Structure formats: structure tokens, C-alpha cells
Amino acid sequence: RELVVSFGEMLIDFVPTVAGVSLAEAPAFVKAPGGAPANVAIAVARLGGAAAFVGKLGDDEFGRMLAGILRDNGVDAGGVVFDSGARTALAFVTLRADGEREFMFYRNPSADMLLTADELKVDVIKRAAVFHYGSISLIAEPCRTAHLHAMKVAKEAGALLSYDPNLREALWPSLEEARTKILSIWDQADIVKVSEVELEFLTGINSVEDDVAMKLWRPTFKLMLITLGDQGCKYYTKDFRGAVPSYKVQQVDTTGAGDAFIGSLLRKIVQDPSALQDKTKLEGAIKFANACGAITATKKGAIPSLPKEDEVLRLMEKA
Ligand code: ATP
């Protein structure tokens, strides 16, 4: 059983055709399919792994296009349902000249937010070795209840639960609610991944020292990861911990780097779950995941940048 099932949103980012402009200044936009959970499923499939996506899309041109992208990339789209009354989510995203990312979301509500527990394709979820999710699906009902139910089904079927909150502040009614709801399912995960920014958001402390990271640790966790961009990541298990540097690359656009990282790590874990108890094996898997994140950061966009295994191995051999 090696299937990674990823749950949540898939949407289209509209990104400016030129770099370093505000949304208002952008002369034109191109479509960039994304949504972190969908990116993770494609990251797994791109490496030759079994992956499925569970979520809801609008029964519109964009929704059908996104389902086609999943299938074209070898992801099982049997868990996708379509809403005839709501549109596929859109987001306008830009990286401004000042380095700040600017988001404008069209979700009022979008189809992904309207997934109900009854609509869940539980047969897909029950086949998961790992069930992966974020926090955007926790923001609004009925999707929140569907998300919680999906986690329960996955856990009861024996899957490991993997959580990457992927904080998007603008989507929450308030930062306090974001923090509370993101942490409301914290204890249920087996594997948790947060970025430096999310670590600070959740702990209120701007530091990646172990004592700060440990505030997010739970005794039931099997693995916790703090990603550090070009610095690689830190990891924690019950019995051992460490830091694994990344590979030196020419950074162009980090969109999807975190998704490539966690997707590739989950791929390694389902292939050999004993890596969770073995420091050498785990660090080997994390090195591979760092290389996947690094490669994704060298190209524009998320999905087109996700690497195949041979590309990853070449970067690792070169280093
Ligand atoms: P995202 O930016 O997708 O929301 P994130 O903040 O979790 O995700 P990053 O920390 O940017 O992700 O990247 C994830 C991993 O990818 C890092 O831990 C690192 O291994 C690798 N990575 C990202 N950017 C670079 C880079 N410029 N050079 C080398 N490795 C990188």
C-alpha cells in the first residue's frame, strides 16, 4: 500500500506576465494551476508514485481543465467531485518588487469550500497509506466538516496523517481564528511540516531554535519538519532530530517548493515506512526532498517545476 491521498483545494493562480509588479500594475496574467494539496499529489506522481486527489471543483471550464491536469499527470482523480452551482476558485498572485507576495482570492464561495462529508469518496481515502491535507479546507463549512470526517476515515483505515498548514492569512476572518483552527487538528497528525514563517505565527516567537520548535511537538507525532528555504530543514522525531542542508541552486520562483518537499518526502516514506525510525534512512529521504524543493525553486510556477526522479538524482550526484 503506497498510495498518497491528498485532500483540499485545487485552483488557478493568475500570475502577471512580467515580474516584480503589483496586481494593479500587472499588464496581463497567465493561468498557473495550483493549490498546495493538488501540487503535493502531482509531486508524488511525477516521481512515479501512486497519488490521488480528493476535493471539489466547479463544473465549469476551469474545473474540468484542473481535473484533466491531475489525470494527465498520473494522479487518480476519482475523488474529485464537481459543483454545478459554484465556480472553481481563482487567485491573483504577484511577487512585488519589494519581495512581498500579494494575493487576491475569488472564493465567494468557490466550489472547493462547498464539499460536504456526504460527497467524500471514502473508498479512495480508505486506500491511503498517507492522507495529506492543509488548513484552507478548515476555514469554512461545509468543507471543514468534510475535512474532519475525511481525516477520521483515513485514520481508522490505518493511514498516516500528514499536515502542512500552508498559512494564507488573507483567507481567514482573523489571524486569531487562523491560529486556533490550524491548531485545532494539530494533535491528530503523524507528520507535520511548517515553514519558518508558520513556526513564528503559531508560537509567537521569531526563532527556529529547538526549544521553540518543541512548542509545536506532540508525543504522538512520528515526524515534524521545519522548512528553511535555501537552508534546507530541521526535523524532529521521538528518538532523534537533526538539520539537513539543501542543495545550492539558482532560485527563480519558490512557488511549490514546499509542496515538492513534502510530496517527495511522503513518497519516500510510503516506499519505506521504517525511515521514520531510522536516522540514516530518514536523513536520506529528507536530502531527496530538499533536492526536490530546490529544483522546484529554480523554475517559474509550481506544477511545471515539480521534478522527475532522474533530475533529482542528478542534482544529488552533482553536489
Ligand atoms: P512554500 O514556499 O511552497 O509555501 P515552504 O515555505 O514550506 O513552502 P520552502 O522552505 O521555501 O517552503 O522550501 C521547501 C524546501 O525546498 C526547503 O526546505 C529546501 O529544502 C528547498 N528549497 C526551497 N528553496 C530553496 C533554494 N533557494 N535553494 C535550495 N533549496 C531550496
Side-chain angles (χ1 to χ4, degrees), residues 166 193 195 227-230 232 246-247 249 251 256-258 261 290 293-294 297:
N166 250 299
K193 166 210 167 273
S195 66
T227 55
L228 306 169
D230 62 0
S246 190
Y247 294 84
V249 294
Q251 181 177 312
F261 172 87
N290 281 342

Side-chain angles (χ1 to χ4, degrees), residues 4-271:
V4 174
V5 176
S6 198
F7 172 89
E9 70 287 358
M10 184 173 197
L11 65 146
I12 304 179
D13 283 343
F14 283 79
V15 296
T17 47
V18 295
V21 293
S22 70
L23 288 176
E25 289 161 351
F29 295 89
V30 292
K31 299 196 294 260
N39 294 342
V40 169
I42 294 174
V44 171
R46 186 78 41 91
L47 294 168
F53 176 76
V54 174
K56 198 174 202 185
L57 298 168
D59 188 11
D60 51 33
E61 285 297 314
F62 286 157
R64 285 187 290 272
M65 180 192 99
L66 293 178
I69 288 169
L70 289 172
R71 283 191 290 266
D72 290 347
N73 282 285
V75 173
D76 178 347
V80 174
V81 291
F82 292 94
D83 194 298
S84 55
R87 292 295 194 204
T88 301
L90 307 181
F92 289 80
V93 188
T94 188
L95 189 61
R96 296 190 318 223
D98 63 7
E100 283 300 304
R101 209 172 276 274
E102 195 181 334
F103 288 97
M104 197 156 82
F105 294 95
Y106 281 70
R107 292 163 38 100
N108 44 352
S110 48
D112 56 296
M113 300 160 75
L114 298 175
L115 180 69
T116 66
D118 290 346
E119 289 171 329
L120 284 172
K121 296 281 165 48
V122 288
D123 50 322
V124 177
I125 297 169
K126 284 180 180 168
R127 284 191 282 122
V130 169
F131 183 70
H132 177 80
Y133 46 86
S135 70
I136 290 170
S137 40
L138 291 176
I139 297 174
E141 291 292 0
C143 184
R144 178 181 166 80
T145 296
H147 179 146
L148 299 176
H149 186 63
M151 281 172 62
K152 185 164 176 281
V153 170
K155 188 135 219 169
E156 282 171 6
L160 289 176
L161 301 190
S162 162
Y163 185 21
D164 174 356
N166 250 299
L167 174 66
R168 290 285 176 271
E169 295 182 1
L171 290 181
W172 292 90
S174 73
L175 294 184
E176 196 40 52
E177 184 161 343
R179 200 174 286 112
T180 309
K181 289 235 173 96
I182 285 172
L183 291 173
S184 69
I185 58 166
W186 202 255
D187 298 5
Q188 279 144 275
D190 297 291
I191 299 168
V192 156
K193 166 210 167 273
V194 292
S195 66
E196 240 174 308
V197 173
E198 288 158 348
L199 177 64
E200 180 180 355
F201 178 76
L202 295 172
T203 61
I205 306 167
N206 178 16
S207 155
V208 294
E209 293 301 319
D210 287 348
D211 58 326
V212 177
M214 288 311 282
K215 290 185 187 298
L216 294 182
W217 174 261
R218 300 291 182 273
T220 47
F221 282 2
K222 297 200 163 54
L223 175 63
M224 181 169 80
L225 302 136
I226 317 282
T227 55
L228 306 169
D230 62 0
Q231 299 297 301
C233 70
K234 295 178 98 171
Y235 74 89
Y236 302 82
T237 73
K238 186 164 57 67
D239 301 316
F240 53 89
R241 62 174 68 166
V244 185
S246 190
Y247 294 84
K248 211 166 174 48
V249 294
Q250 194 70 44
Q251 181 177 312
V252 173
D253 172 11
T254 60
T255 308
D259 305 328
F261 172 87
I262 189 67
S264 56
L265 187 59
L266 295 178
R267 169 68 189 142
K268 288 288 175 197
I269 288 170
V270 296
Q271 279 183 297

